[in-house]
Amino acid sequence: SLSSPTLSTDQRMLYFRLNGPTPRSGLYEARRPATDQPFAPAVELSGRAAHYDYTTGVSDDERTLFMASEFTTRVLVRRTLDEPYGDLAPTIPPSRLPGWRAIPIDGCRRLIATVTPGGCESEESVLLEAVGP
């Protein structure tokens, strides 16, 4: 079964988790050239992205991927669109942000995320803002 779909802002990238027997189970992405065209067959995500629960958001330039992991958000990056999403550098693991189900807005200057200060029944949405230039 398909779960946790995430659509890019321009609606040309679709990320989702496929739950089922291996080897089909895993995280996938599908692309399409324009919103009036169908998605190409999905490709399984490789590299670091394959180790997290599911995708919650993708940056407008498709070089930053936000992943849910144990009620936090992990941020994966890539230099080019041809590379798999991964670490910031060989010795720097993915950033860990408070909240989960993070969705980037304003070109990643802001994130909307869910926090659970008292467990799932007390979920709250928060706005995380970048500090700096």
Side-chain angles (χ1 to χ4, degrees):
S1 70
L2 186 139
S3 66
S4 306
T6 300
L7 191 61
S8 64
T9 304
D10 65 7
Q11 299 182 2
R12 291 180 33 234
M13 297 290 298
L14 175 65
Y15 294 88
F16 60 91
R17 171 168 282 292
L18 187 61
N19 302 305
T22 54
R24 300 261 321 144
S25 184
L27 294 171
Y28 289 82
E29 78 176 4
R31 297 175 180 257
R32 62 182 174 181
T35 58
D36 62 347
Q37 296 184 9
F39 285 100
V43 175
E44 190 169 8
L45 291 177
S46 61
R48 178 71 85 162
H51 299 282
Y52 295 108
D53 298 334
Y54 56 90
T55 302
T56 66
V58 60
S59 64
D60 291 343
D61 66 2
E62 299 174 18
R63 292 178 42 207
T64 307
L65 195 63
F66 297 86
M67 307 291 297
S69 176
E70 299 177 0
F71 301 101
T72 62
T73 296
R74 293 294 188 155
V75 183
L76 304 179
V77 296
R78 61 183 177 183
R79 284 175 285 174
T80 68
L81 299 181
D82 298 328
E83 295 177 12
Y85 290 99
D87 300 343
L88 292 170
T91 59
I92 303 174
S95 297
R96 184 178 186 156
L97 300 176
W100 54 297
R101 295 190 297 228
I103 301 169
I105 56 175
D106 273 346
C108 283
R109 300 277 309 152
R110 294 180 174 167
L111 299 175
I112 297 173
T114 303
V115 294
T116 54
C120 292
E121 66 277 356
S122 299
E123 285 185 10
E124 296 178 8
S125 295
V126 296
L127 180 65
L128 304 172
E129 296 188 80
V131 176

